[in-house]
Amino acid sequence: QVQLVESGGGLVQAGGSLRLSCAASGGTFSTYAMGWFRQAPGKEREFVARISQVLGNTYYADSVKGRFTISRDNAKSTVYLQMNSLKPEDTAVYYCAADRVVVPTTSQSDYDYWGQGTQVTVSS
C-alpha cells in the first residue's frame, strides 16, 4: 500500500509560481509512474502531468504545457510539480497519483493510489 501526501499549495497572484510536492511511502517509489491531476469547483478531475518510472519521460495536458514542469527524486520518494505563469483558471485542488503500469495514461481510473489533495488558488 502506497501513501501519498501533497504539500505546497496556497494562494498566489496571477503570473506567480508555486511548487507542489508529493511524498510517497509504503512502496518502491521508483517502480511507479507518478501523475498530477486537478479538480476545479464544479468540474471533473482532469489530468495535468505524468512522469514515467525509469526514463523520466514526461507528459502534459495542453492547458499547462510550457508553464508546468513535473519532476521526481527517487532517492527522496517525492514527485514535484513546478507551476509558473499561473492563471486564475489553474485554481483547483491538485492531487498526485501513482500508477504501477508502464504504458503512459492520462486516465485517472488507471492510477492505483491517490493523495488527499492540496488547494491551489490563483487570484486575478
Side-chain angles (χ1 to χ4, degrees):
Q1 188 78 7
V2 175
Q3 292 82 44
L4 302 172
V5 179
E6 302 96 335
S7 61
L11 174 64
V12 64
Q13 287 189 330
S17 298
L18 280 175
R19 188 195 196 201
L20 305 184
S21 299
C22 173
S25 61
T28 305
F29 181 74
S30 60
T31 65
Y32 290 88
M34 299 299 296
W36 286 96
F37 290 77
R38 67 185 181 185
Q39 187 168 21
K43 294 189 176 181
E44 300 274 325
R45 189 156 58 183
E46 64 176 4
F47 170 78
V48 174
R50 174 186 171 99
I51 186 165
S52 67
Q53 293 92 322
V54 178
L55 298 179
N57 295 327
T58 57
Y59 310 86
Y60 297 94
D62 287 342
S63 59
V64 306
K65 203 170 292 183
R67 299 188 298 122
F68 290 11
T69 302
I70 188 172
S71 61
R72 65 189 297 158
D73 185 337
N74 288 340
K76 295 183 178 179
S77 297
T78 301
V79 62
Y80 305 97
L81 186 68
Q82 177 67 43
M83 306 186 295
N84 298 329
S85 302
L86 282 162
K87 305 175 181 179
E89 51 264 44
D90 294 318
T91 295
V93 177
Y94 283 71
Y95 300 88
C96 72
D99 178 15
R100 289 174 290 189
V101 177
V102 174
V103 176
T105 177
T106 62
S107 174
Q108 58 181 309
S109 62
D110 291 329
Y111 288 75
D112 304 291
Y113 304 102
W114 291 84
Q116 292 300 307
T118 185
Q119 176 71 47
V120 172
T121 303
V122 184
S123 64
S124 57

